[in-house]
Amino acid sequence: MKELRTKLKGRDLLSLRDLTGEEIHLILEEAARLKAMQKAGIPHPYLRGKTLAMIFQKSSTRTRVSFEVGMYQLGGYALFLSPKDIQMGRGESVADTARVLSRMVDGIMIRTYQQSEVEELARYADVPVINGLTDLTHPCQILADLLTVQEHKGKLQGLKLAYVGDGNNIAHSLLLGCAKVGMNISVASPAGYRPKDWVVELARQEARATGAQIQVTGDPVAAVQGADVIVTDVWASMGQESEQQERVQAFAAYQVNEALCAQAKSDFIFLHCLPAHRGEEVTSEIIDGPHSVVWDEAENRLHAQKAVMALLM
């Protein structure tokens, strides 16, 4: 365990591709420990005197609050940087921004559009870089999701997770995360909106080592059949607002509702990364119902992020 911690120190988290299954379990264990300490009122200033630069090209509720509050609880300081606050929004290169920030802070979190931008930032930074979200991946969200599933189900390996909706950054990171921890995953998306083939293939390669089963289908009923966990996301993510009506039509049969959830196990849990559009990708009966654990999931963003920062920084 100590060797694993040493290996994570100073590393970047750009995608769940960067972590082994063992490292994911270590992060979840650390998150659970930090959560218990916080609930018990036990101080845990492991990052006392350290500073995190938070670059937000995309706005957020959960990402900003979890990283900012997390750094405070860990004894450090988080600096919010919007495109209006830094020169990167006015044409300074990503590489130059990385070089400058590395001289002044101990870690960088970035929430942006292009995965390539995060990777370039990490290439030129001398401090850990954490991906707070890109259009391709959302590793921090899925760590919080896995923590939530583990809390409610007592394990991860062998469970079935069904994701219904857009084959987006959430779907990509769930595929990789589930495969690495031995969870079976079935993704149901309409044609033209499925996960990228190369991400699915990466997940299949990881699954060979853990015994996880990977399914990508156009049939939401087949995907949800016998599921322990059901996950969905908005049909039009940030930056796709102009496609809203087109997507509403394409995803009409992919709503998570009582009829669809009847195909899952009787004790299934429901996850959504939020914000949710009730009446679109999920009905109020499900997200506000007895199977929903979305508020635990949202809170766990704080604890998962704290574990990531504590271990990397």
Short mmCIF file of all heavy atoms in Angstrom, two decimals, residues 169-228:
data_model
loop_
_atom_site.label_atom_id
_atom_site.label_comp_id
_atom_site.label_asym_id
_atom_site.label_seq_id
_atom_site.Cartn_x
_atom_site.Cartn_y
_atom_site.Cartn_z
N ASN A 169 -18.48 11.70 -22.33
CA ASN A 169 -17.35 11.57 -21.41
C ASN A 169 -17.67 10.67 -20.21
O ASN A 169 -16.81 9.95 -19.72
CB ASN A 169 -16.86 12.95 -20.93
CG ASN A 169 -17.99 13.85 -20.46
OD1 ASN A 169 -19.14 13.44 -20.29
ND2 ASN A 169 -17.65 15.11 -20.24
N ILE A 170 -18.92 10.72 -19.74
CA ILE A 170 -19.32 9.86 -18.63
C ILE A 170 -19.28 8.39 -19.07
O ILE A 170 -18.73 7.52 -18.37
CB ILE A 170 -20.73 10.23 -18.12
CG1 ILE A 170 -20.72 11.63 -17.50
CG2 ILE A 170 -21.23 9.20 -17.11
CD1 ILE A 170 -19.92 11.76 -16.23
N ALA A 171 -19.85 8.10 -20.23
CA ALA A 171 -19.84 6.73 -20.75
C ALA A 171 -18.42 6.24 -20.95
O ALA A 171 -18.08 5.10 -20.58
CB ALA A 171 -20.61 6.66 -22.06
N HIS A 172 -17.56 7.08 -21.52
CA HIS A 172 -16.16 6.69 -21.75
C HIS A 172 -15.45 6.33 -20.44
O HIS A 172 -14.77 5.30 -20.34
CB HIS A 172 -15.40 7.82 -22.45
CG HIS A 172 -15.83 8.04 -23.85
ND1 HIS A 172 -15.72 9.28 -24.46
CD2 HIS A 172 -16.38 7.22 -24.78
CE1 HIS A 172 -16.18 9.19 -25.70
NE2 HIS A 172 -16.58 7.94 -25.91
N SER A 173 -15.61 7.19 -19.44
CA SER A 173 -14.90 6.96 -18.18
C SER A 173 -15.51 5.81 -17.40
O SER A 173 -14.79 5.08 -16.70
CB SER A 173 -14.89 8.25 -17.34
OG SER A 173 -14.09 9.24 -17.97
N LEU A 174 -16.83 5.61 -17.51
CA LEU A 174 -17.44 4.44 -16.88
C LEU A 174 -16.93 3.15 -17.51
O LEU A 174 -16.66 2.17 -16.80
CB LEU A 174 -18.96 4.51 -17.00
CG LEU A 174 -19.70 5.38 -15.97
CD1 LEU A 174 -21.17 5.50 -16.34
CD2 LEU A 174 -19.55 4.82 -14.56
N LEU A 175 -16.81 3.12 -18.82
CA LEU A 175 -16.29 1.93 -19.50
C LEU A 175 -14.91 1.56 -18.96
O LEU A 175 -14.65 0.41 -18.61
CB LEU A 175 -16.24 2.16 -21.00
CG LEU A 175 -17.55 2.03 -21.76
CD1 LEU A 175 -17.48 2.71 -23.12
CD2 LEU A 175 -17.93 0.54 -21.92
N LEU A 176 -14.03 2.55 -18.86
CA LEU A 176 -12.67 2.29 -18.40
C LEU A 176 -12.65 1.95 -16.92
O LEU A 176 -11.97 1.00 -16.49
CB LEU A 176 -11.78 3.50 -18.67
CG LEU A 176 -11.50 3.79 -20.15
CD1 LEU A 176 -10.81 5.14 -20.30
CD2 LEU A 176 -10.64 2.69 -20.76
N GLY A 177 -13.39 2.72 -16.11
CA GLY A 177 -13.40 2.49 -14.67
C GLY A 177 -13.98 1.14 -14.30
O GLY A 177 -13.40 0.41 -13.49
N CYS A 178 -15.11 0.79 -14.89
CA CYS A 178 -15.74 -0.50 -14.59
C CYS A 178 -14.84 -1.65 -15.00
O CYS A 178 -14.67 -2.63 -14.25
CB CYS A 178 -17.09 -0.61 -15.28
SG CYS A 178 -18.38 0.43 -14.56
N ALA A 179 -14.25 -1.56 -16.18
CA ALA A 179 -13.38 -2.62 -16.66
C ALA A 179 -12.20 -2.84 -15.72
O ALA A 179 -11.82 -3.98 -15.42
CB ALA A 179 -12.87 -2.30 -18.06
N LYS A 180 -11.64 -1.76 -15.19
CA LYS A 180 -10.46 -1.86 -14.33
C LYS A 180 -10.76 -2.45 -12.96
O LYS A 180 -9.88 -3.04 -12.33
CB LYS A 180 -9.80 -0.49 -14.20
CG LYS A 180 -8.99 -0.06 -15.42
CD LYS A 180 -8.49 1.37 -15.28
CE LYS A 180 -7.64 1.78 -16.49
NZ LYS A 180 -6.28 1.24 -16.44
N VAL A 181 -12.01 -2.28 -12.48
CA VAL A 181 -12.34 -2.81 -11.15
C VAL A 181 -13.19 -4.07 -11.23
O VAL A 181 -13.65 -4.58 -10.21
CB VAL A 181 -13.05 -1.75 -10.28
CG1 VAL A 181 -12.16 -0.54 -10.07
CG2 VAL A 181 -14.40 -1.34 -10.87
N GLY A 182 -13.40 -4.60 -12.44
CA GLY A 182 -14.10 -5.87 -12.58
C GLY A 182 -15.61 -5.78 -12.54
O GLY A 182 -16.29 -6.77 -12.28
N MET A 183 -16.17 -4.61 -12.84
CA MET A 183 -17.62 -4.45 -12.93
C MET A 183 -18.06 -4.68 -14.37
O MET A 183 -17.41 -4.19 -15.31
CB MET A 183 -18.06 -3.04 -12.51
CG MET A 183 -18.06 -2.81 -11.03
SD MET A 183 -18.63 -1.13 -10.63
CE MET A 183 -20.38 -1.25 -11.01
N ASN A 184 -19.15 -5.41 -14.55
CA ASN A 184 -19.73 -5.57 -15.88
C ASN A 184 -20.46 -4.28 -16.24
O ASN A 184 -21.12 -3.68 -15.41
CB ASN A 184 -20.71 -6.75 -15.89
CG ASN A 184 -20.06 -8.04 -15.42
OD1 ASN A 184 -18.93 -8.34 -15.80
ND2 ASN A 184 -20.75 -8.79 -14.58
N ILE A 185 -20.35 -3.87 -17.49
CA ILE A 185 -21.01 -2.64 -17.91
C ILE A 185 -21.67 -2.82 -19.27
O ILE A 185 -21.09 -3.42 -20.18
CB ILE A 185 -20.03 -1.44 -17.95
CG1 ILE A 185 -20.76 -0.17 -18.44
CG2 ILE A 185 -18.77 -1.72 -18.76
CD1 ILE A 185 -19.96 1.10 -18.28
N SER A 186 -22.89 -2.33 -19.36
CA SER A 186 -23.64 -2.34 -20.61
C SER A 186 -24.04 -0.91 -20.93
O SER A 186 -24.67 -0.24 -20.10
CB SER A 186 -24.88 -3.23 -20.46
OG SER A 186 -25.55 -3.34 -21.69
N VAL A 187 -23.65 -0.43 -22.10
CA VAL A 187 -23.96 0.94 -22.52
C VAL A 187 -24.98 0.89 -23.65
O VAL A 187 -24.76 0.24 -24.67
CB VAL A 187 -22.68 1.66 -23.01
CG1 VAL A 187 -23.02 3.06 -23.55
CG2 VAL A 187 -21.66 1.76 -21.88
N ALA A 188 -26.10 1.60 -23.46
CA ALA A 188 -27.14 1.67 -24.48
C ALA A 188 -27.25 3.09 -25.01
O ALA A 188 -27.56 4.02 -24.26
CB ALA A 188 -28.48 1.22 -23.91
N SER A 189 -26.98 3.26 -26.30
CA SER A 189 -27.04 4.56 -26.95
C SER A 189 -27.59 4.39 -28.35
O SER A 189 -27.36 3.35 -28.99
CB SER A 189 -25.64 5.20 -27.04
OG SER A 189 -25.01 5.26 -25.79
N PRO A 190 -28.28 5.41 -28.88
CA PRO A 190 -28.76 5.31 -30.26
C PRO A 190 -27.60 5.41 -31.25
O PRO A 190 -26.52 5.93 -30.93
CB PRO A 190 -29.71 6.50 -30.40
CG PRO A 190 -29.29 7.46 -29.34
CD PRO A 190 -28.72 6.66 -28.22
N ALA A 191 -27.82 4.90 -32.45
CA ALA A 191 -26.81 4.98 -33.51
C ALA A 191 -26.42 6.44 -33.73
O ALA A 191 -27.27 7.33 -33.75
CB ALA A 191 -27.35 4.38 -34.79
N GLY A 192 -25.14 6.67 -33.88
CA GLY A 192 -24.63 8.03 -34.07
C GLY A 192 -24.24 8.71 -32.78
O GLY A 192 -23.62 9.77 -32.81
N TYR A 193 -24.60 8.11 -31.64
CA TYR A 193 -24.30 8.72 -30.34
C TYR A 193 -23.62 7.72 -29.40
O TYR A 193 -23.62 7.90 -28.20
CB TYR A 193 -25.59 9.23 -29.70
CG TYR A 193 -26.27 10.32 -30.48
CD1 TYR A 193 -27.29 10.02 -31.38
CD2 TYR A 193 -25.88 11.66 -30.35
CE1 TYR A 193 -27.93 11.02 -32.11
CE2 TYR A 193 -26.51 12.66 -31.08
CZ TYR A 193 -27.53 12.33 -31.95
OH TYR A 193 -28.15 13.33 -32.67
N ARG A 194 -23.03 6.68 -29.96
CA ARG A 194 -22.41 5.65 -29.13
C ARG A 194 -20.99 6.04 -28.73
O ARG A 194 -20.39 6.91 -29.37
CB ARG A 194 -22.44 4.31 -29.88
CG ARG A 194 -23.87 3.81 -29.98
CD ARG A 194 -24.05 2.48 -30.61
NE ARG A 194 -25.50 2.24 -30.76
CZ ARG A 194 -26.05 1.45 -31.64
NH1 ARG A 194 -25.28 0.78 -32.49
NH2 ARG A 194 -27.36 1.31 -31.70
N PRO A 195 -20.45 5.40 -27.71
CA PRO A 195 -19.07 5.70 -27.30
C PRO A 195 -18.09 5.47 -28.44
O PRO A 195 -18.35 4.66 -29.34
CB PRO A 195 -18.82 4.73 -26.15
CG PRO A 195 -20.16 4.30 -25.69
CD PRO A 195 -21.05 4.35 -26.88
N LYS A 196 -16.97 6.16 -28.38
CA LYS A 196 -15.96 6.00 -29.42
C LYS A 196 -15.43 4.56 -29.42
O LYS A 196 -15.16 3.98 -28.36
CB LYS A 196 -14.82 6.99 -29.18
CG LYS A 196 -15.24 8.45 -29.35
CD LYS A 196 -14.06 9.38 -29.20
CE LYS A 196 -14.51 10.84 -29.31
NZ LYS A 196 -15.08 11.14 -30.64
N ASP A 197 -15.28 4.03 -30.63
CA ASP A 197 -14.86 2.62 -30.77
C ASP A 197 -13.53 2.35 -30.08
O ASP A 197 -13.35 1.29 -29.46
CB ASP A 197 -14.74 2.25 -32.26
CG ASP A 197 -16.10 2.20 -32.95
OD1 ASP A 197 -17.12 2.07 -32.25
OD2 ASP A 197 -16.14 2.27 -34.19
N TRP A 198 -12.60 3.29 -30.16
CA TRP A 198 -11.28 3.04 -29.58
C TRP A 198 -11.32 3.01 -28.06
O TRP A 198 -10.54 2.30 -27.42
CB TRP A 198 -10.25 4.03 -30.09
CG TRP A 198 -10.45 5.47 -29.71
CD1 TRP A 198 -11.12 6.42 -30.40
CD2 TRP A 198 -9.95 6.11 -28.53
NE1 TRP A 198 -11.09 7.64 -29.74
CE2 TRP A 198 -10.37 7.47 -28.59
CE3 TRP A 198 -9.20 5.70 -27.43
CZ2 TRP A 198 -10.06 8.40 -27.59
CZ3 TRP A 198 -8.89 6.62 -26.44
CH2 TRP A 198 -9.31 7.94 -26.52
N VAL A 199 -12.27 3.77 -27.46
CA VAL A 199 -12.43 3.72 -26.01
C VAL A 199 -13.03 2.37 -25.60
O VAL A 199 -12.60 1.76 -24.62
CB VAL A 199 -13.32 4.88 -25.51
CG1 VAL A 199 -13.55 4.76 -24.00
CG2 VAL A 199 -12.69 6.23 -25.83
N VAL A 200 -14.02 1.91 -26.36
CA VAL A 200 -14.63 0.61 -26.08
C VAL A 200 -13.57 -0.50 -26.17
O VAL A 200 -13.52 -1.41 -25.33
CB VAL A 200 -15.79 0.32 -27.06
CG1 VAL A 200 -16.34 -1.09 -26.84
CG2 VAL A 200 -16.90 1.37 -26.89
N GLU A 201 -12.70 -0.42 -27.17
CA GLU A 201 -11.66 -1.43 -27.33
C GLU A 201 -10.67 -1.38 -26.17
O GLU A 201 -10.23 -2.44 -25.67
CB GLU A 201 -10.92 -1.22 -28.65
CG GLU A 201 -9.80 -2.22 -28.92
CD GLU A 201 -10.25 -3.68 -28.82
OE1 GLU A 201 -11.42 -3.99 -29.15
OE2 GLU A 201 -9.44 -4.52 -28.36
N LEU A 202 -10.32 -0.17 -25.71
CA LEU A 202 -9.45 -0.06 -24.54
C LEU A 202 -10.09 -0.71 -23.32
O LEU A 202 -9.43 -1.42 -22.55
CB LEU A 202 -9.18 1.42 -24.22
CG LEU A 202 -8.05 2.11 -24.97
CD1 LEU A 202 -8.01 3.59 -24.58
CD2 LEU A 202 -6.71 1.46 -24.65
N ALA A 203 -11.40 -0.48 -23.15
CA ALA A 203 -12.12 -1.07 -22.03
C ALA A 203 -12.12 -2.60 -22.13
O ALA A 203 -11.94 -3.30 -21.14
CB ALA A 203 -13.55 -0.54 -21.97
N ARG A 204 -12.31 -3.10 -23.34
CA ARG A 204 -12.30 -4.57 -23.54
C ARG A 204 -10.93 -5.15 -23.18
O ARG A 204 -10.84 -6.24 -22.61
CB ARG A 204 -12.67 -4.91 -24.97
CG ARG A 204 -14.12 -4.59 -25.34
CD ARG A 204 -14.50 -5.22 -26.67
NE ARG A 204 -15.74 -4.68 -27.20
CZ ARG A 204 -16.96 -4.99 -26.77
NH1 ARG A 204 -17.10 -5.87 -25.78
NH2 ARG A 204 -18.03 -4.45 -27.31
N GLN A 205 -9.88 -4.45 -23.53
CA GLN A 205 -8.53 -4.92 -23.19
C GLN A 205 -8.35 -4.98 -21.68
O GLN A 205 -7.78 -5.94 -21.14
CB GLN A 205 -7.49 -3.98 -23.82
CG GLN A 205 -7.40 -4.07 -25.33
CD GLN A 205 -6.48 -3.02 -25.92
OE1 GLN A 205 -5.66 -2.43 -25.23
NE2 GLN A 205 -6.63 -2.76 -27.22
N GLU A 206 -8.81 -3.95 -20.97
CA GLU A 206 -8.72 -3.93 -19.50
C GLU A 206 -9.57 -5.05 -18.91
O GLU A 206 -9.19 -5.68 -17.92
CB GLU A 206 -9.19 -2.57 -18.96
CG GLU A 206 -8.32 -1.40 -19.33
CD GLU A 206 -7.00 -1.38 -18.58
OE1 GLU A 206 -6.84 -2.18 -17.63
OE2 GLU A 206 -6.13 -0.56 -18.92
N ALA A 207 -10.74 -5.28 -19.52
CA ALA A 207 -11.68 -6.28 -18.98
C ALA A 207 -11.13 -7.69 -19.05
O ALA A 207 -11.53 -8.55 -18.26
CB ALA A 207 -13.01 -6.18 -19.73
N ARG A 208 -10.24 -7.94 -19.99
CA ARG A 208 -9.66 -9.28 -20.11
C ARG A 208 -8.90 -9.67 -18.85
O ARG A 208 -8.82 -10.84 -18.49
CB ARG A 208 -8.74 -9.35 -21.33
CG ARG A 208 -9.48 -9.24 -22.66
CD ARG A 208 -8.59 -9.51 -23.85
NE ARG A 208 -9.28 -9.16 -25.08
CZ ARG A 208 -8.99 -8.11 -25.84
NH1 ARG A 208 -7.98 -7.32 -25.50
NH2 ARG A 208 -9.66 -7.86 -26.94
N ALA A 209 -8.34 -8.67 -18.18
CA ALA A 209 -7.56 -8.95 -16.97
C ALA A 209 -8.43 -9.10 -15.73
O ALA A 209 -8.04 -9.76 -14.77
CB ALA A 209 -6.54 -7.83 -16.74
N THR A 210 -9.62 -8.50 -15.74
CA THR A 210 -10.46 -8.51 -14.54
C THR A 210 -11.68 -9.41 -14.67
O THR A 210 -12.38 -9.65 -13.68
CB THR A 210 -10.95 -7.09 -14.23
OG1 THR A 210 -11.77 -6.61 -15.31
CG2 THR A 210 -9.79 -6.14 -14.00
N GLY A 211 -11.96 -9.87 -15.89
CA GLY A 211 -13.13 -10.72 -16.11
C GLY A 211 -14.42 -9.95 -16.30
O GLY A 211 -15.51 -10.54 -16.36
N ALA A 212 -14.33 -8.63 -16.40
CA ALA A 212 -15.53 -7.81 -16.60
C ALA A 212 -16.09 -8.03 -18.00
O ALA A 212 -15.34 -8.28 -18.95
CB ALA A 212 -15.21 -6.34 -16.40
N GLN A 213 -17.40 -7.91 -18.13
CA GLN A 213 -18.06 -8.03 -19.43
C GLN A 213 -18.45 -6.64 -19.92
O GLN A 213 -19.02 -5.85 -19.17
CB GLN A 213 -19.30 -8.92 -19.31
CG GLN A 213 -18.98 -10.36 -18.91
CD GLN A 213 -20.22 -11.21 -18.76
OE1 GLN A 213 -21.33 -10.79 -19.07
NE2 GLN A 213 -20.03 -12.44 -18.26
N ILE A 214 -18.16 -6.38 -21.19
CA ILE A 214 -18.44 -5.08 -21.80
C ILE A 214 -19.47 -5.27 -22.91
O ILE A 214 -19.28 -6.11 -23.80
CB ILE A 214 -17.17 -4.45 -22.41
CG1 ILE A 214 -16.01 -4.43 -21.41
CG2 ILE A 214 -17.46 -3.06 -22.97
CD1 ILE A 214 -16.17 -3.48 -20.28
N GLN A 215 -20.53 -4.50 -22.86
CA GLN A 215 -21.55 -4.56 -23.91
C GLN A 215 -21.91 -3.15 -24.35
O GLN A 215 -22.14 -2.27 -23.52
CB GLN A 215 -22.82 -5.27 -23.40
CG GLN A 215 -23.94 -5.34 -24.44
CD GLN A 215 -25.25 -5.86 -23.86
OE1 GLN A 215 -25.56 -5.60 -22.70
NE2 GLN A 215 -26.02 -6.57 -24.67
N VAL A 216 -21.96 -2.94 -25.66
CA VAL A 216 -22.46 -1.68 -26.22
C VAL A 216 -23.60 -2.04 -27.16
O VAL A 216 -23.43 -2.86 -28.06
CB VAL A 216 -21.35 -0.91 -26.98
CG1 VAL A 216 -21.91 0.35 -27.62
CG2 VAL A 216 -20.20 -0.56 -26.04
N THR A 217 -24.75 -1.46 -26.93
CA THR A 217 -25.96 -1.86 -27.65
C THR A 217 -26.84 -0.65 -27.95
O THR A 217 -26.66 0.42 -27.36
CB THR A 217 -26.76 -2.88 -26.81
OG1 THR A 217 -27.96 -3.23 -27.49
CG2 THR A 217 -27.12 -2.32 -25.44
N GLY A 218 -27.78 -0.85 -28.83
CA GLY A 218 -28.78 0.18 -29.10
C GLY A 218 -30.07 -0.07 -28.34
O GLY A 218 -31.02 0.71 -28.44
N ASP A 219 -30.10 -1.15 -27.55
CA ASP A 219 -31.32 -1.58 -26.86
C ASP A 219 -31.23 -1.27 -25.36
O ASP A 219 -30.55 -1.98 -24.62
CB ASP A 219 -31.51 -3.08 -27.07
CG ASP A 219 -32.81 -3.60 -26.49
OD1 ASP A 219 -33.50 -2.83 -25.78
OD2 ASP A 219 -33.14 -4.77 -26.73
N PRO A 220 -31.93 -0.23 -24.88
CA PRO A 220 -31.86 0.11 -23.46
C PRO A 220 -32.43 -0.98 -22.55
O PRO A 220 -31.96 -1.17 -21.42
CB PRO A 220 -32.66 1.40 -23.36
CG PRO A 220 -33.53 1.43 -24.56
CD PRO A 220 -32.79 0.72 -25.63
N VAL A 221 -33.44 -1.70 -23.02
CA VAL A 221 -34.03 -2.76 -22.21
C VAL A 221 -33.02 -3.88 -21.97
O VAL A 221 -32.85 -4.36 -20.85
CB VAL A 221 -35.31 -3.32 -22.87
CG1 VAL A 221 -35.83 -4.53 -22.11
CG2 VAL A 221 -36.39 -2.23 -22.94
N ALA A 222 -32.32 -4.27 -23.02
CA ALA A 222 -31.29 -5.31 -22.89
C ALA A 222 -30.17 -4.84 -21.96
O ALA A 222 -29.63 -5.63 -21.17
CB ALA A 222 -30.74 -5.67 -24.26
N ALA A 223 -29.83 -3.57 -22.05
CA ALA A 223 -28.74 -3.04 -21.22
C ALA A 223 -29.09 -3.07 -19.74
O ALA A 223 -28.26 -3.41 -18.89
CB ALA A 223 -28.41 -1.61 -21.65
N VAL A 224 -30.33 -2.73 -19.43
CA VAL A 224 -30.75 -2.60 -18.03
C VAL A 224 -31.10 -3.95 -17.40
O VAL A 224 -31.14 -4.09 -16.19
CB VAL A 224 -31.94 -1.61 -17.94
CG1 VAL A 224 -32.58 -1.62 -16.57
CG2 VAL A 224 -31.46 -0.20 -18.30
N GLN A 225 -31.33 -4.97 -18.23
CA GLN A 225 -31.74 -6.28 -17.73
C GLN A 225 -30.79 -6.79 -16.65
O GLN A 225 -29.60 -6.95 -16.87
CB GLN A 225 -31.77 -7.28 -18.89
CG GLN A 225 -32.42 -8.61 -18.55
CD GLN A 225 -33.93 -8.49 -18.42
OE1 GLN A 225 -34.58 -7.83 -19.20
NE2 GLN A 225 -34.48 -9.14 -17.40
N GLY A 226 -31.31 -6.98 -15.43
CA GLY A 226 -30.52 -7.53 -14.34
C GLY A 226 -29.48 -6.60 -13.77
O GLY A 226 -28.56 -7.05 -13.06
N ALA A 227 -29.59 -5.30 -14.03
CA ALA A 227 -28.57 -4.35 -13.57
C ALA A 227 -28.66 -4.09 -12.07
O ALA A 227 -29.74 -4.01 -11.49
CB ALA A 227 -28.70 -3.04 -14.33
N ASP A 228 -27.49 -3.93 -11.45
CA ASP A 228 -27.40 -3.51 -10.04
C ASP A 228 -27.37 -1.99 -9.93
O ASP A 228 -27.75 -1.44 -8.90
CB ASP A 228 -26.11 -4.05 -9.43
CG ASP A 228 -26.05 -5.56 -9.44
OD1 ASP A 228 -26.72 -6.18 -8.59
OD2 ASP A 228 -25.35 -6.11 -10.31
#
